[in-house]
Amino acid sequence: MLWIQVSLDTFFDRCVPGNDPPQGHSYPTTNIELKSEKGIQDPLRTHINDILKGFNCQDLIALSSRSHPDKIRQRSSQERDLNLLRPDIALYPNSPDAQKTYPVRSGTNNSARAAAGDDMSSSILESQQQSQGDRQDGSTDSSGTGAAATTTKPPSLDTRVAWAWAELLIEVKKDSDREPFDVAQKRDKPPNLPSGKAHRDARGQVARYGREIFNRQHRQHLFMLSVVGHIAHILRLDTVGAIVSEPFNYLTQAELLGKFLYRFINMTPEQRGHNPTARRATPEEHTLFRSLWTRFPDVPSDSAVKRGLKKAATDGWPIYALDIYALWSDPDDRLDTRVVKTYQSHRCLVGRPDSMNGSMTGRMTRGFVAWDTVEQKAVYVKDSWRPVSSQIPSELENYQRLLERVLQPQKSELFLTLRAGGDVVWSPDVRDGRCMESTDPHGSLQAVATLTQELVPAGRGRPFARHNCRLIFKEICRPLEDFSTASQLVESVYGALIAHGHACISADLLHCDISVANILIYDKPEGGIRPVLADWDLAKTKERLLEQKPTQNPHSGTWQFMSAVLQCYPEKPHQLSDDLESFLHVLSWCAFRYLKHGLSGRDNARVLASLFFDLYDKEVQVGSSPDRWQAHTRFINIMCGAPPVPSPLGSRDNAFAALLQKLVHLCRQHYRSKEIKQYLEAPTPPKIKRGLSLSEMSIDAQADAFNLPPYPSESQQTSSVTSPTEVESPLRDHIAIMMAFRVAMRSHDWPVSREDLKRVADQLPRVSVFCVVRAVSSGDASSKRTYESAEERGQVADADIPGPPTKRFRTNFVETSKTRAEQ
């Protein structure tokens, strides 16, 4: 993550606009001892509330949350993943709606509860102020007699974390041993990032807090206070990085803390960091959205729309109304920006995200199953932060390229139907920020954008600015992981492969991020499925890939599905063959987790987890370089022709096992071709067991556009598998790998038993993996994290260790050994 330190004057001028407190305003004093973090936290919390009281602020209150994590699960109960992060202090709205989400542990006795009817809706702040007055005049009665003793005690200011409502976070460290930023004011070497694991972990903690706020709320930036003893830094975080003020002593320089808090409480919601196009739903909208999933009685309970709306209405997650001002197509048409010129505003209700990102910085992509109140139908909203550069096409531009060169000429159904999209814009002249219908996309409208990059000092390399953007799709799909049988898995990946071929040949686009998350299954209303290859935000033209300058970690993508040769040789340019190899890793990843195989069963759980970790998650640091990471297990397996999954579907002799073996063989031949020879020396090829041989499905007809060769005979299949090293790579185009899928689809060698074909529950429990690993930037190795190439990020200065070139997909591992520093 990028950290930029600036002077206090610059921070206040650029990050916290507004007027200063009245001249001569007096600030309360406090005595804070440094014996323990709790000894700092409680007096600091009281001190901040006293300052707010002095400014007559009744809307916000500082509460301690170090002991009670948010009770709202971030993932499903099946994944057993509770959010245990606990910032020390947070400022929350002092409103009834907010108080419902951070229950305060009251000191009320039983008789008082009965007398009051158990009504705890009175203001927390008033109770706190009353208790302070009681302490000052000495009226507290510890004996339990008298009127004061029979009434309600003041509620505790120790409360539960409520990420959905937090306005300002405060993290406290006792001393400099774990300081995230240098408190010694060494102005000669900004940004004053102390090295060492404890210091990097402290910065990783700040990044994780920011991630939680961005995932739970609709934000453009966030403010935090980092306190070490008597010294504080003020932080402003966005999806590029963090702007950090120079340190100051908040006790001896109380006017600086007061100045920040005064400006903060008087800023607009947009200035505090809230997205101006998103607001909390009204009570009517809230009730409507939470009941939507019950309005489809004739729809199966496991349909993507019904499940998506039910998940979006999960208790505890706030409901927002998004005003999406963009070019909108007609309800059943794809958006064509050459034809549609009128901007419209649609209000879409959203709740819990369908998917979330594991990183604070980068694209920060989230997906929502939303309800369009204008058209009265469910749609899918993809919200992300795109890099702003003339050299990096937006995902909207990539979809327009696909529309013009693939979708309209060939009528392909293997892509999502884009209804609307573009950068998020808003009007400061309108009170609620909502934009009305207009043919002028400019005027007084402003983009929702980042600021951090503007404060990077000259000469240090400046990352690209990022704009918040949203795309709205017609279809609501199932993830690939929800396939029902092995044959449906193969059909879905085959469909995505065909879509990839159309995009590559007709639109000259390489996807560059083939992964489990980006292959979707759409259940057609008339029956059957339609595979979809989605998420074209990282796609690049082949010409641009050739122009990309080699760096140590130039590649974007998802680590678990990246080609093995890219993992071992990151200086190699990304090519078509790397995308094609990723389809093999998608199939084997799903087979490991959700199909029966030789390591299925409780007795093999740890062995399976260890093997899976080695194949898909393990990274090895190269030498002493902090930003060069490799993985070799998959590479060695491919070079040796080893089957990626032991005995899939219960045996080695079935169509699925043969397909995996064929794909491994094609990748092995590719590694021995002249295209890869400059990066490695091929070992002597071991003998490869003959594979392959499958019934036509509707999706197969869309592959005919590639002029695939005739169905191979048995002799041709045998000779193609046992042939010696070839000069040309079989992955130089789509033909060989498509033929492997077509043969599998037409085979009759699938298991007869339907039980052997069915998807099973996730076979990777939460088990310990005893090895040295590197934690991802979010601080959670079980999350997917966005990572882009160096070209897409721009030149980055003053960042912590960047880590491997990857998005990271969710796994269930619990790391019990020493972890390397976080980004």
Side-chain angles (χ1 to χ4, degrees):
M1 184 166 175
L2 175 65
W3 309 93
I4 298 299
Q5 182 166 312
V6 298
S7 67
L8 281 164
D9 289 340
T10 300
F11 191 93
F12 281 114
D13 181 55
R14 298 299 304 275
C15 304
V16 196
N19 297 322
D20 291 338
Q23 189 172 4
H25 181 83
S26 60
Y27 295 97
T29 59
T30 186
N31 182 27
I32 296 180
E33 298 181 359
L34 304 181
K35 295 180 179 179
S36 66
E37 288 187 359
K38 189 177 187 302
I40 300 174
Q41 294 163 4
D42 290 348
L44 177 60
R45 176 198 62 199
T46 301
H47 183 57
I48 291 174
N49 281 326
D50 288 343
I51 293 176
L52 296 178
K53 177 184 175 183
F55 293 143
N56 197 29
C57 174
Q58 302 290 326
D59 300 328
L60 294 172
I61 184 170
L63 299 173
S64 297
S65 52
R66 59 181 175 267
S67 302
H68 304 283
D70 198 318
K71 64 180 179 180
I72 307 302
R73 294 177 185 269
Q74 192 179 53
R75 304 187 193 278
S76 69
S77 58
Q78 293 178 345
E79 292 170 320
R80 296 172 295 175
D81 186 11
L82 280 172
N83 176 11
L84 300 178
L85 297 176
R86 302 184 299 265
D88 295 319
I89 305 171
L91 260 63
Y92 292 104
N94 191 35
S95 65
D97 287 341
Q99 289 182 29
K100 292 176 184 177
T101 64
Y102 54 85
V104 177
R105 296 184 296 125
S106 173
T108 309
N109 59 33
N110 293 335
S111 60
R113 280 184 181 275
D118 203 23
D119 182 6
M120 297 302 297
S121 61
S122 60
S123 169
I124 302 174
L125 188 59
E126 291 177 1
S127 298
Q128 181 207 11
Q129 294 170 358
Q130 179 64 43
S131 67
Q132 291 170 347
D134 290 345
R135 289 194 302 269
Q136 291 171 0
D137 60 22
S139 61
T140 303
D141 186 351
S142 60
S143 65
T145 61
T150 60
T151 57
T152 303
K153 295 183 194 177
S156 169
L157 295 183
D158 291 331
T159 188
R160 184 177 295 280
V161 178
W163 296 110
W165 288 93
E167 288 287 320
L168 173 71
L169 301 181
I170 304 170
E171 184 62 20
V172 176
K173 305 296 181 189
K174 180 172 68 73
D175 50 46
S176 60
D177 290 344
R178 294 188 297 136
E179 62 180 7
F181 313 104
D182 194 344
V183 299
Q185 302 194 46
K186 297 177 181 178
R187 296 175 181 267
D188 58 327
K189 49 174 251 180
N192 297 344
L193 297 181
S195 59
K197 181 181 184 304
H199 304 295
R200 291 194 296 268
D201 285 349
R203 291 193 292 275
Q205 188 178 35
V206 169
R208 291 196 298 276
Y209 291 164
R211 176 198 66 186
E212 293 303 314
I213 294 291
F214 269 70
N215 276 334
R216 305 300 183 103
Q217 304 179 26
H218 290 262
R219 284 273 182 173
Q220 51 184 335
H221 60 266
L222 166 72
F223 287 99
M224 292 182 64
L225 282 175
S226 173
V227 174
V228 180
H230 294 165
I231 304 299
H233 292 83
I234 313 174
L235 282 67
R236 181 193 184 277
L237 288 76
D238 59 30
T239 58
V240 168
I243 302 171
V244 185
S245 77
E246 62 183 339
F248 64 95
N249 190 311
Y250 59 89
L251 295 182
T252 61
Q253 297 172 289
E255 70 280 0
L256 292 177
L257 179 60
K259 178 180 179 179
F260 169 69
L261 291 174
Y262 184 83
R263 289 193 178 188
F264 183 83
I265 64 178
N266 285 288
M267 287 195 297
T268 65
E270 293 78 27
Q271 291 171 329
R272 287 189 192 174
H274 293 278
N275 193 308
T277 66
R279 61 161 178 78
R280 302 271 177 171
T282 64
E284 294 77 14
E285 291 170 336
H286 185 276
T287 301
L288 167 68
F289 190 78
R290 293 204 178 278
S291 65
L292 282 172
W293 69 273
T294 65
R295 296 190 176 191
F296 302 89
D298 299 329
V299 176
S301 60
D302 62 346
S303 71
V305 175
K306 199 166 187 176
R307 284 196 304 174
L309 288 173
K310 185 176 182 179
K311 178 180 178 180
T314 301
D315 288 341
W317 288 80
I319 309 301
Y320 278 87
L322 307 182
D323 288 323
I324 301 177
Y325 180 74
L327 297 172
W328 282 80
S329 71
D330 291 334
D332 295 324
D333 294 338
R334 296 181 186 272
L335 175 64
D336 188 342
T337 57
R338 298 168 300 178
V339 176
V340 180
K341 298 298 181 182
T342 302
Y343 282 68
Q344 302 177 46
S345 184
H346 285 220
R347 178 158 288 179
C348 295
L349 303 179
V350 299
R352 176 183 179 179
D354 180 63
S355 61
M356 292 181 288
N357 197 287
S359 173
M360 171 65 217
T361 56
R363 294 183 183 261
M364 193 67 195
T365 303
R366 294 184 296 170
F368 298 90
V369 177
W371 184 256
D372 185 345
T373 60
V374 175
E375 297 182 354
Q376 292 293 298
K377 62 172 59 176
V379 295
Y380 197 87
V381 176
K382 179 179 179 179
D383 184 284
S384 63
W385 290 79
R386 72 173 185 90
V388 181
S389 169
S390 59
Q391 302 302 313
I392 304 176
S394 67
E395 188 171 13
L396 175 62
E397 292 171 324
N398 283 336
Y399 268 104
Q400 184 66 29
R401 185 184 183 100
L402 290 170
L403 176 71
E404 296 173 11
R405 303 191 184 192
V406 178
L407 300 176
Q408 288 181 338
Q410 302 178 32
K411 306 296 182 183
S412 175
E413 295 185 347
L414 302 176
F415 301 86
L416 292 173
T417 302
L418 179 66
R419 291 286 322 284
D423 286 352
V424 176
V425 293
W426 69 292
S427 174
D429 300 330
V430 180
R431 185 173 183 180
D432 64 355
R434 188 178 185 185
C435 303
M436 305 307 293
E437 184 171 328
S438 172
T439 56
D440 181 12
H442 305 293
S444 63
L445 301 184
Q446 297 180 6
V448 177
T450 56
L451 174 66
T452 300
Q453 73 286 341
E454 296 183 14
L455 299 186
V456 175
R460 293 191 180 180
R462 177 168 292 181
F464 293 130
R466 290 186 180 271
H467 284 179
N468 189 204
C469 60
R470 297 187 184 122
L471 299 181
I472 295 81
F473 297 99
K474 174 183 177 181
E475 297 89 353
I476 297 174
C477 304
R478 288 187 284 141
L480 180 64
E481 291 178 86
D482 280 359
F483 66 89
S484 58
T485 64
S487 57
Q488 188 178 89
L489 171 63
V490 172
E491 180 183 4
S492 301
V493 177
Y494 185 30
L497 174 64
I498 295 171
H500 185 277
H502 285 307
C504 181
I505 295 172
S506 301
D508 200 36
L509 273 181
L510 282 183
H511 190 279
C512 296
D513 188 21
I514 301 298
S515 71
V516 167
N518 296 336
I519 300 176
L520 306 175
I521 302 174
Y522 176 65
D523 295 306
K524 296 188 290 187
E526 65 273 18
I529 68 167
R530 171 157 64 94
V532 170
L533 183 58
D535 290 346
W536 291 85
D537 49 342
L538 297 182
K540 305 176 182 69
T541 64
K542 289 179 281 188
E543 179 182 6
R544 182 174 161 228
L545 285 169
L546 291 174
E547 294 174 350
Q548 184 169 300
K549 297 179 180 179
T551 66
Q552 287 185 317
N553 282 325
H555 306 296
S556 55
T558 306
W559 180 258
Q560 288 93 332
F561 312 105
M562 191 177 292
S563 74
V565 71
L566 281 183
Q567 289 182 334
C568 287
Y569 301 93
E571 66 276 7
K572 173 190 172 298
H574 192 112
Q575 297 171 313
L576 169 62
S577 57
D578 299 301
D579 269 15
L580 297 181
E581 183 184 325
S582 294
F583 287 100
L584 162 65
H585 304 315
V586 167
L587 271 180
S588 58
W589 191 94
C590 289
F592 259 114
R593 299 192 71 151
Y594 302 115
L595 293 176
K596 292 181 180 179
H597 49 70
L599 290 178
S600 296
R602 184 183 299 271
D603 293 342
N604 296 320
R606 290 188 178 275
V607 176
L608 172 61
S610 179
L611 176 59
F612 188 89
F613 179 85
D614 285 344
L615 285 173
Y616 298 104
D617 288 271
K618 188 176 181 180
E619 304 147 2
V620 178
Q621 187 172 1
V622 180
S624 59
S625 175
D627 57 354
R628 187 175 175 87
W629 295 80
Q630 294 180 341
H632 297 91
T633 307
R634 270 208 319 251
F635 179 82
I636 295 172
N637 278 13
I638 290 176
M639 290 301 297
C640 295
V645 181
S647 302
L649 304 186
S651 73
R652 299 180 181 178
D653 298 319
N654 60 68
F656 186 77
L659 172 61
L660 290 179
Q661 189 63 70
K662 178 64 177 179
L663 297 181
V664 169
H665 172 66
L666 292 176
C667 292
R668 180 169 171 268
Q669 285 184 310
H670 166 64
Y671 285 6
R672 292 164 52 80
S673 70
K674 62 182 181 180
E675 295 180 20
I676 306 299
K677 189 175 182 180
Q678 57 182 311
Y679 301 106
L680 57 100
E681 292 293 331
T684 303
K687 291 184 178 180
I688 306 297
K689 179 182 177 181
R690 185 190 75 82
L692 282 287
S693 65
L694 231 29
S695 88
E696 177 124 11
M697 294 187 180
S698 60
I699 196 67
D700 191 36
Q702 298 200 39
D704 292 338
F706 296 91
N707 298 317
L708 298 181
Y711 183 79
S713 64
E714 285 292 312
S715 60
Q716 289 174 327
Q717 292 178 48
T718 304
S719 62
S720 66
V721 174
T722 58
S723 59
T725 303
E726 298 181 16
V727 176
E728 296 291 338
S729 166
L731 299 186
R732 64 187 179 276
D733 55 37
H734 291 76
I735 301 300
I737 190 170
M738 281 188 177
M739 280 302 300
F741 275 89
R742 171 167 281 191
V743 168
M745 297 289 286
R746 294 179 175 178
S747 171
H748 297 284
D749 292 341
W750 291 87
V752 177
S753 171
R754 296 292 299 176
E755 293 301 317
D756 289 337
L757 284 170
K758 285 184 178 179
R759 178 191 185 276
V760 299
D762 193 350
Q763 300 175 98
L764 284 172
R766 292 181 66 87
V767 298
S768 301
V769 179
F770 294 92
C771 56
V772 176
V773 296
R774 186 181 191 279
V776 297
S777 65
S778 65
D780 178 7
S782 65
S783 64
K784 178 182 178 182
R785 102 177 152 100
T786 301
Y787 190 94
E788 299 160 313
S789 67
E791 180 188 20
E792 288 168 319
R793 295 192 310 274
Q795 299 298 320
V796 178
D798 300 329
D800 281 335
I801 298 173
T806 175
K807 290 181 182 177
R808 177 163 294 281
F809 200 75
R810 168 183 50 80
T811 59
N812 283 339
F813 296 119
V814 178
E815 297 168 9
T816 58
S817 60
K818 180 180 178 181
T819 58
R820 296 190 183 276
E822 300 167 35
Q823 181 176 344

